[in-house]
């Protein structure tokens, strides 16, 4: 018995497009682009920024100064009490390195919240590449 073959056109995947109908070959959009609704071309992807009035922004913006304040207070306490046996046994230079790393971490957590610019992206790259190892 002969069964007729039916071919259906499937739309291209997300960020892929095709300019020719009835084909199963889709091209990929560039990195800064996204496909149109009907997957017939590409257009620039919109910037998605964290709004200053969003809950995430507020939570991070409140936690960072608190964390920086606690790191500074801890550093001052270590400096004032550096002659005590427990601080001397812990090696204050090592403790300062840990506190400095925490301070850099708090500052690095702020960079993704900034509006993208050359200086903000360069700072973020420098901090993450330098201190991530």
């Amino acid at each position: 018995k002969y069964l007729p073959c039916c071919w259906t056109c499937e739309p291209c995947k997300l960020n892929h497009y095709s300019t020719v109908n009835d084909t199963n070959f889709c091209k990929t959009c560039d990195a800064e682009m996204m496909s149109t609704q009907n997957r017939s071309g590409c257009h620039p992807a919109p910037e998605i920024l964290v709004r200053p009035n969003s809950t995430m922004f507020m939570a991070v913006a409140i936690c960072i100064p608190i964390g920086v304040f606690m790191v500074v207070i801890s550093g001052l306490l270590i400096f004032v009490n550096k002659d005590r046996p427990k601080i001397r046994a812990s090696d204050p230079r090592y403790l300062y390195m840990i506190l400095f790393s925490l301070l850099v971490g708090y500052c690095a957590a702020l960079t993704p919240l900034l509006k993208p610019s050359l200086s903000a992206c360069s700072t973020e790259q420098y901090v993450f590449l330098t201190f991530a190892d």
Side-chain angles (χ1 to χ4, degrees), residues 47 49 111-125:
E47 273 188 1
L49 302 175
T111 55
L113 299 179
L114 302 174
K115 186 171 182 170
S117 67
L118 182 61
S119 59
C121 291
S122 298
T123 304
E124 186 175 354
Q125 250 183 344

Side-chain angles (χ1 to χ4, degrees), residues 12-118:
C12 294
K13 296 182 220 171
L14 187 65
N15 293 333
H16 289 74
Y17 70 98
S18 177
T19 55
V20 181
N21 290 334
D22 297 335
T23 183
N24 56 359
F25 177 73
C26 296
K27 299 175 187 171
T28 306
C29 294
D30 291 336
E32 303 86 25
M33 308 289 271
M34 62 185 292
S35 57
T36 57
Q37 191 72 21
N38 61 1
R39 309 281 197 267
S40 62
C42 295
H43 63 86
E47 273 188 1
I48 300 174
L49 302 175
V50 180
R51 292 189 187 113
N53 59 355
S54 70
T55 308
M56 184 182 82
F57 185 91
M58 300 256 191
V60 172
I62 290 171
C63 289
I64 287 174
I66 292 171
V68 168
F69 178 74
M70 291 173 69
V71 167
V72 169
I73 293 298
S74 299
L76 288 173
L77 286 173
I78 292 169
F79 182 75
V80 169
N81 297 308
K82 64 183 171 194
D83 294 328
R84 295 205 176 204
K86 286 190 178 185
I87 301 292
R88 277 193 319 213
S90 300
D91 188 11
R93 290 176 296 181
Y94 180 68
L95 295 174
Y96 290 137
M97 281 187 353
I98 292 173
L99 290 175
F100 178 72
S101 300
L102 284 171
L103 198 60
V104 169
Y106 280 118
C107 295
L110 182 65
T111 55
L113 299 179
L114 302 174
K115 186 171 182 170
S117 67
L118 182 61

